[in-house]
Amino acid sequence: MTEHPTSHEGRQPLAARSQERARPRQEAAAHAPKPAAGGVPAQPPAPPAPTAPPATAPSAAVPAPGASAAQAGPPQDPTGVARREGDRLRFVGAATRRIARGIDLDEIVLGLCRATVPTFSDAILVYLRDPLPVGDERPVAPFVLRLRRTDRLRLTDEDTENALVTNAVQVPVFSSQPELPAAELCEVQAGGALAEVLRGVRPVFGDSAAARAALPELLGDGKTVPTGHRAILAPLRGRRRVIGAAIFLRRPDRPAFEPNDLLVAAQLATHTALGIDKAVLYGREAYIADELQRTMLPEGLPQPTGVRLASRYLPAAETARVGGDWYDAIPLPGSRVALVVGDVMGHSMTSAAIMGQLRTTAQTLAGLDLPPQEVLHHLDEQAQRLGTDRMATCLYAVYDPVSHRITIANAGHPPPILLHLGGRAEVLRVPPGAPIGVGGVDFEAVELDAPAGATLLLYTDGLVESRLRDVWTGIEQLRERLAATAQLTGPDHSPPLEALCDDVLDMLGPGDRDDDIALLAARFDGIAPSDVAYWFLEPEDAAPGRARRLARRALARWGLEDLSDSVELLVSEVVTNAVRYAERPVTLRLLRTDVLRCEVGDDSPQLPRQRRARDTDEGGRGLFLVNRLARRWGATRLSTGKVVWFELPTHP
């Protein structure tokens, strides 16, 4: 009975397959040598003569159809080309990733050097255009390349003593000095050999005709690649133009560069050039952001009478250098000072621009001597004119050193903290109000005591709020920190203002820098009532003479008789000008601090202007005298008129 295959056509029966598997063992047993007497095996018989294989047998090199991969065996690669290409691809991937990790120019160039030395080359020289063009701007002439960085591997005999040895294995040591002399600057001549290589963009071998002509021009007069060294000259082309060149060097004891190494050099040069382009653009943006932020914030704080000021500003992070936080201190008439802290929502150039406009508006409104609630109202209107989504918080306070009072209005900002002289810190109860930009909201101002020796701390929410704590928890921690700092200096002394600001910032933990931080601290010294003299003068012809007599008496009481002549002359000129235009009583006030300050106020909004009087003019010389004799002078417009003031030093 004949059996038929069940699954594959031509498949042998199971019994036949078992017989074929047993046949080789039987034949081997038949030809096996019989053991001789004594257990010594007999000599094996001679092998049978080989017979020619049938014509239909598969070749030994080509597997038979239907044979498995295991039966065919792996393909042979006697030269190791596939292995080298795989290593080359892995190297390019790792090198480009290392280059791409750099953010600024130095990191990218350093990444190229560290990725190629010693894996790809023994030394590298990187030249960059000087100056580097930014974006679409046209590069300046002439075309100059500057040697930006060099790295080399020191493993030669003469450098053995400088190499690091660990367990008898030399560790690569990188050096910032090139292995061959190279010029610091190179001016690329138009139409020269170097210009042609750079224009071609493709890397070239150092022994090619183009490179032999270009390398001396790049390295400098009389300088060439050392004998026996292999080199690749790779232009660095960015998005729009060639921005530099790189030279890869190998010593004679290493394998020479292969044609595929030109592709590797091209990949490295392309990634480096594009990274440098981005780094230059990022650097320009960071520079613009820094300049914008710097110009938006005050360069220095004024030193008004009766108050000392200190400030701090910290951006959220190095990658977000510009934000919308700001602070300001604006001197006001009557020796008062306006203290402002604000925070525009967002971290961008737009936020900084809006902050600048609001800060300028606040300075203008402060110059009009408007009440704090009116200033916030006009800021709210300005924010609405800038856009529907222009939101900000702001706190505006006015300190009067004569009355020792402070008036505060708030627009959605964290409340200020007042540190008293005895060490007690309290969060001031100020109506919170709505943020600027909401519109249709009234703001409310409160007037509080500002005792001498107390410190007022104004800040933005970045100091007290983060992912790790809510704003009220942060405010309480800030209050406790201020109280603890004040306890260290004792009940009779206030902590130093600058040190207090630094100590406040030290409370920030690693996760507390989610937002910008603006900090403004004001130490209230005040002006004692005994150092203030204040009078009302009727707008009549006798007012200047009366003003001179009152000023002379005040100076005699303060022991400043040496200033009597100058003060009487200047007071007479300023009061005469005020009486000429005033309809209501004129105010005269003298303040004695480190300087003598005189303030004359009237109800005329027209500010005086200094002009050059002609020989035939009877007037017009009063402000000229004030400008020559006073150390400083000025005029400020008020909502009810104006104030003209001048200062004289109390000590020569």
Side-chain angles (χ1 to χ4, degrees):
M1 185 176 183
T2 305
E3 294 183 4
H4 298 280
T6 58
S7 59
H8 296 284
E9 185 176 0
R11 184 177 181 182
Q12 293 181 349
L14 181 61
R17 291 200 303 272
S18 61
Q19 293 175 2
E20 288 183 3
R21 286 196 298 269
R23 186 178 296 114
R25 294 194 296 269
Q26 296 172 0
E27 293 178 355
H31 293 286
K34 300 289 191 299
V40 179
Q43 296 294 328
T51 58
T56 58
S59 172
V62 180
S68 64
Q71 295 171 342
Q76 298 297 322
D77 184 17
T79 61
V81 175
R83 178 179 57 81
R84 290 198 302 271
E85 290 302 319
D87 293 342
R88 187 176 285 112
L89 290 176
R90 284 189 293 271
F91 163 73
V92 171
T96 53
R97 286 193 299 271
R98 186 163 191 172
I99 295 171
R101 284 198 298 264
I103 296 178
D104 59 17
L105 181 62
D106 292 332
E107 289 180 351
I108 293 173
V109 175
L110 179 62
L112 171 65
C113 296
R114 291 295 187 258
T116 55
V117 178
T119 308
F120 183 70
S121 63
D122 297 310
I124 182 174
L125 288 79
V126 181
Y127 287 84
L128 294 181
R129 196 162 190 160
D130 186 30
L132 277 169
V134 181
D136 296 333
E137 70 179 18
R138 297 179 61 87
V140 298
F143 188 173
V144 176
L145 294 177
R146 178 182 292 274
L147 184 61
R148 184 76 185 194
R149 187 177 182 87
T150 64
D151 271 321
R152 68 183 178 94
L153 182 66
R154 296 182 298 173
L155 289 178
T156 58
D157 295 337
E158 58 270 22
D159 291 327
T160 303
E161 66 273 13
N162 296 326
L164 299 178
V165 179
T166 304
N167 295 331
V169 177
Q170 279 190 330
V171 178
V173 179
F174 293 95
S175 172
S176 60
Q177 298 298 325
E179 198 171 22
L180 73 163
E184 182 73 17
L185 292 176
C186 167
E187 182 175 344
V188 181
Q189 302 297 328
L194 180 58
E196 292 297 327
V197 173
L198 297 179
R199 188 179 298 112
V201 179
R202 298 178 181 274
V204 294
F205 286 121
D207 56 358
S208 64
R212 284 198 302 268
L215 284 174
E217 181 180 349
L218 180 60
L219 299 177
D221 295 337
K223 299 182 178 66
T224 58
V225 176
T227 304
H229 282 63
R230 285 90 170 193
I232 289 180
L233 175 58
L236 303 178
R237 177 176 174 82
R239 294 173 56 248
R240 299 187 180 277
R241 60 186 61 87
V242 174
I243 60 174
I247 302 177
F248 303 95
L249 293 170
R250 280 186 184 176
R251 295 193 305 269
D253 57 344
R254 287 191 60 175
F257 288 113
E258 300 177 359
N260 285 340
D261 290 329
L262 292 178
L263 300 179
V264 174
Q267 287 281 346
L268 299 179
T270 300
H271 280 81
T272 303
L274 293 178
I276 290 174
D277 263 357
K278 294 178 182 178
V280 172
L281 287 174
Y282 172 78
R284 174 61 62 88
E285 292 180 358
Y287 170 77
I288 294 174
D290 289 342
E291 286 296 306
L292 179 61
Q293 186 71 61
R294 185 184 62 81
T295 55
M296 293 302 179
L297 296 175
E299 293 185 1
L301 294 174
Q303 298 299 326
T305 302
V307 62
R308 286 172 287 169
L309 303 173
S311 63
R312 295 291 186 273
Y313 177 83
L314 294 178
E318 288 297 324
T319 56
R321 304 184 182 185
V322 63
D325 293 19
W326 90 91
Y327 62 89
D328 215 340
I330 309 168
L332 299 178
S335 299
R336 296 171 299 152
V337 60
L339 307 174
V340 190
V341 168
D343 183 4
V344 177
M345 295 183 181
H347 296 87
S348 63
M349 303 285 282
T350 303
S351 300
I354 295 173
M355 177 266 285
Q357 296 181 69
L358 293 180
R359 177 173 178 250
T360 302
T361 303
Q363 289 178 332
T364 304
L365 296 172
L368 298 176
D369 199 24
L370 297 179
Q373 66 272 22
E374 291 296 324
V375 172
L376 295 183
H377 175 73
H378 289 291
L379 285 177
D380 180 65
E381 293 180 341
Q382 176 67 9
Q384 294 180 64
R385 285 191 291 267
L386 295 176
T388 56
D389 57 345
R390 308 311 188 198
M391 306 286 291
T393 63
C394 183
L395 193 143
Y396 189 94
V398 175
Y399 170 65
D400 189 344
V402 176
S403 63
H404 297 269
R405 303 281 289 178
I406 186 169
T407 306
I408 306 176
N410 193 2
H413 203 78
I417 298 179
L418 184 65
L419 178 62
H420 292 269
L421 183 60
R424 181 174 63 91
E426 64 170 328
V427 180
L428 297 182
R429 298 181 178 274
V430 180
I436 292 173
V438 173
V441 179
D442 292 332
F443 299 98
E444 183 180 354
V446 294
E447 188 174 352
L448 305 171
D449 288 331
T455 304
L456 183 69
L457 195 72
L458 309 180
Y459 52 92
T460 56
D461 57 356
L463 181 64
V464 295
E465 185 180 20
S466 69
R467 291 171 294 178
L468 305 178
R469 60 186 178 186
D470 61 85
V471 61
W472 288 107
T473 302
I475 291 175
E476 181 62 22
Q477 292 178 357
L478 176 60
R479 187 194 67 80
E480 294 175 355
R481 185 61 175 255
L482 290 174
T485 303
Q487 294 295 331
L488 299 177
T489 58
D492 299 331
H493 298 84
S494 299
L497 205 56
E498 296 291 341
L500 180 65
C501 293
D502 294 334
D503 190 69
V504 166
L505 295 180
D506 288 341
M507 66 177 284
L508 298 173
D512 294 340
R513 292 291 304 280
D514 299 334
D515 198 359
D516 301 340
I517 298 174
L519 179 65
L520 180 62
R523 173 71 45 77
F524 300 142
D525 294 332
I527 300 177
S530 58
D531 293 330
V532 181
Y534 192 85
W535 305 279
F536 287 95
L537 304 175
E538 292 296 329
E540 55 189 13
D541 295 340
R546 183 166 179 256
R548 289 193 296 269
R549 292 191 298 271
L550 294 173
R552 187 184 310 114
R553 294 173 186 172
L555 294 177
R557 187 170 65 251
W558 292 334
L560 299 176
E561 292 87 348
D562 295 341
L563 300 178
S564 295
D565 294 339
S566 299
V567 172
E568 288 183 33
L569 176 60
L570 298 183
V571 165
S572 178
E573 294 293 337
V574 176
V575 171
T576 299
N577 187 74
V579 169
R580 181 178 302 174
Y581 301 101
E583 297 180 358
R584 297 178 181 178
V586 175
T587 61
L588 172 63
R589 185 166 72 168
L590 296 179
L591 303 173
R592 183 188 64 166
T593 56
D594 54 342
V595 297
L596 180 68
R597 182 181 177 98
C598 175
E599 299 173 350
V600 177
D602 60 74
D603 59 349
S604 175
Q606 183 178 358
L607 297 179
R609 180 174 59 87
Q610 183 181 356
R611 61 185 179 88
R612 182 177 297 276
R614 294 174 296 182
D615 296 339
T616 57
D617 292 341
E618 296 182 359
R621 296 177 178 84
L623 290 182
F624 177 78
L625 293 175
V626 173
N627 186 61
R628 291 297 299 271
L629 297 180
R631 191 181 72 170
R632 291 196 311 157
W633 76 279
T636 305
R637 183 179 284 111
L638 307 178
S639 57
T640 58
K642 68 175 180 295
V643 169
V644 180
W645 57 271
F646 63 86
E647 293 178 353
L648 292 172
T650 56
H651 302 285

